Amino acid sequence: MRLIVGRIGRPHGIRGEVTVEVRTDEPETRFAAGSVLATDPAASPVTPAPSVPGHLVRVPDRLTVESIRWHQGRLLVCFEGVVDRDVAEVLRDTILTVDSADVAAPTDPDEFNDHQLVGLTVVDPAGETLGEVARIDHAPASDLLVVRRPDGRTALIPFVKAIVPEVDLAGGRVVVDPPGGLLDL
């Protein structure tokens, strides 16, 4: 499974540096010098080269991080082979991913990676099936389990201990004790 760790934004300066919208809890690890990140879509369409009329370029399947730095709260990244602003512009909006097999499981037993939760069956304390975890939304107040209900509707459940008392990865289930009306919203 591919995990999104960032999205390339606009170029910064004239030497090929780009801004990256970070979508990982560990940017210093994921974007460390020498890290190789897959691009999505890997088979991106060819794009006119801004600096050479008549030439076409393709976003590579993989990009290797050369260096990173933080500037005004934004991550700036230099990728190998991206030497000027024109090449950096071609990378704009490219999604950066890693393989979930390369992501270590958290050491804290109450912490989970999103991909570990997606697909788990959601049950109430009595064992009645409420749905399946479709994805995790990272909201400002708390993470939300996006649950696909059996009737096709979607429910948003705050991923807090008071409402989600148990996550059983081995058993493939999440126990949810929702307050009245939460699943009816």
Side-chain angles (χ1 to χ4, degrees):
M1 172 188 281
R2 304 300 311 167
L3 303 176
I4 296 173
V5 296
R7 183 185 64 80
I8 296 176
R10 62 181 176 75
H12 180 83
I14 61 171
R15 294 197 172 111
E17 209 169 29
V18 294
T19 59
V20 172
E21 176 188 317
V22 176
R23 297 188 186 172
T24 177
D25 289 344
E26 302 172 333
E28 286 79 12
T29 301
R30 300 284 166 250
F31 294 98
S35 296
V36 178
L37 303 170
T39 60
D40 183 36
S44 62
V46 292
T47 307
S51 59
V52 185
H55 282 75
L56 299 175
V57 293
R58 179 185 299 274
V59 174
D61 294 343
R62 301 198 177 287
L63 291 168
T64 302
V65 176
E66 190 172 279
S67 66
I68 68 166
R69 68 186 176 101
W70 291 94
H71 176 69
Q72 297 180 346
R74 290 191 181 120
L75 181 64
L76 300 178
V77 180
C78 283
F79 291 105
E80 289 181 8
V82 180
V83 296
D84 65 24
R85 186 177 186 88
D86 290 338
V87 177
E89 183 62 45
V90 171
L91 298 177
R92 187 187 290 244
D93 294 325
T94 298
I95 301 294
L96 302 169
T97 66
V98 296
D99 190 333
S100 62
D102 297 336
V103 177
T107 55
D108 182 349
D110 290 331
E111 187 177 330
F112 305 94
N113 290 324
D114 292 1
H115 71 277
Q116 293 176 293
L117 300 171
V118 173
L120 296 181
T121 301
V122 178
V123 299
D124 67 11
E128 181 182 337
T129 300
L130 301 174
E132 179 180 298
V133 178
R135 70 176 189 273
I136 312 300
D137 281 354
H138 300 281
S142 73
D143 293 338
L144 298 169
L145 297 177
V146 179
V147 178
R148 187 178 313 108
R149 304 273 289 145
D151 61 7
R153 292 182 304 140
T154 300
L156 299 176
I157 299 175
F159 192 39
V160 295
K161 194 74 164 172
I163 299 173
V164 184
E166 181 184 349
V167 175
D168 180 8
L169 293 178
R173 67 188 191 117
V174 176
V175 177
V176 173
D177 190 9
L182 180 67
L183 299 178
D184 297 327
L185 295 176

